[in-house]
Structure formats: C-alpha cells, structure tokens
Amino acid sequence: MSGDPRAAESCIFCRIVRGEIPANKLHEDEDVLAFHDVRPQAPVHFLLIPKEHVATLYDAGMAQHRALGKMLALAGDLARKAGAEDGFRCIINTGRVGHQEVYHVHMHVIGGPDPVGPMLLRRR
Ligand code: AMP
C-alpha cells in the first residue's frame, strides 16, 4: 500500500485493528490487541499494540497510559499461555536508531523454551 507509513490510513497494524487484513490474535479488548508476529524470531513471538494509532514511543504520552499499561500488564499472562513459561523478553523498537520497521507502537514479546540470548550484541 502506498502513502505515509506513519499515517493511520496506510498503517499495517491499523489495518489489522480494523479487520482489513488477518492476524493470528491472542487477545483483544477496547484498548489493545495482541497477535503473533508474522516472522517469529523465537518459538514464542507476539506483538502487543495500542488500538489507537501512535507512531512511536516518542509520540506517546499520558493520553496513552491506559493502553501502554495494559500492554505490560497482559504480557506475562499471554506469554505463559503462548508457551513461554520460563521467561521472555519485551522489546519496543523506537525510531531509526531503535530499528523500528512498523510505525505504530508495538511491544514484541519473545520467549523460549531456550534462552533468547544476550540483550544486545556487544560491539567491543
Ligand atoms: P519492528 O518495527 O522492527 O519493531 O518490528 C515490526 C514487526 O512487525 C516485525 O517483527 C514483523 O515481522 C512484524 N509484522 C509486520 N507485518 C506484520 C503482520 N501483518 N502481522 C504480524 N506481524 C507483522
């Protein structure tokens, strides 16, 4: 789809929220949606997003505290139910330096059974 990838109209995650493209959902309520990542990097890999279009964490504020809080509050239960019973990692990539590809705030939840490795590759 053409257009500004930061805009809600062309945002792929907004299209999932609107039901225009399919997703393998784990949870949905009035504020947030959780669905499996289409290119999983571990046996458990799903995304938690606010339903409201917010491009990055830079653009989020207290107006989003309910949805952002829910994303954290739901992560453990959803991770356990998805099979990550011995730990997981949450990642929110932000902006160019954070290597964000989809400009709609999302939290990756990534887990085992095997350890997911060090947080960042050490450069020195
Ligand atoms: P990033 O913006 O780099 O934090 O990551 C974006 C993530 O969204 C990647 O892990 C993609 O695999 C995932 N992704 C992109 N499109 C979809 C989709 N239609 N359904 C599920 N996951 C997606």
Side-chain angles (χ1 to χ4, degrees), residues 29 37 48 50 56 79 82 86-87 90 92 97 103:
D29 62 39
D37 195 292
L48 271 155
T56 79
D86 197 19
C90 295
I92 303 179
V97 171
Y103 276 81

Side-chain angles (χ1 to χ4, degrees), residues 4-124:
D4 178 1
R6 288 176 176 254
E9 304 75 49
S10 52
C11 168
I12 190 152
F13 289 172
C14 284
R15 297 190 68 206
I16 289 174
V17 169
R18 292 195 296 265
E20 293 171 6
I21 58 174
N24 191 356
K25 297 177 187 175
L26 297 97
H27 172 88
E28 180 166 16
D29 62 39
E30 67 272 29
D31 299 307
V32 301
L33 182 63
F35 52 94
H36 291 282
D37 195 292
V38 76
R39 285 184 285 129
Q41 298 191 24
V44 174
H45 186 177
F46 62 87
L47 305 174
L48 271 155
I49 69 168
K51 282 190 163 177
E52 177 191 3
H53 182 75
V54 182
T56 79
L57 268 192
Y58 284 127
D59 304 295
M62 287 310 292
Q64 285 76 37
H65 84 278
R66 181 179 156 109
L68 295 174
K70 269 193 184 179
M71 286 160 57
L72 284 173
L74 288 164
D77 188 47
L78 293 177
R80 191 182 285 113
K81 286 177 177 160
E85 297 176 349
D86 197 19
F88 60 91
R89 179 172 296 150
C90 295
I91 301 171
I92 303 179
N93 294 322
T94 302
R96 180 184 66 84
V97 171
H99 234 281
Q100 184 173 359
E101 290 176 9
V102 176
Y103 276 81
H104 180 129
V105 168
H106 53 282
M107 184 170 78
H108 296 258
V109 178
I110 298 171
D114 297 326
V116 294
M119 190 167 70
L120 292 172
L121 291 176
R122 291 195 185 279
R123 294 188 180 163
R124 53 180 177 267

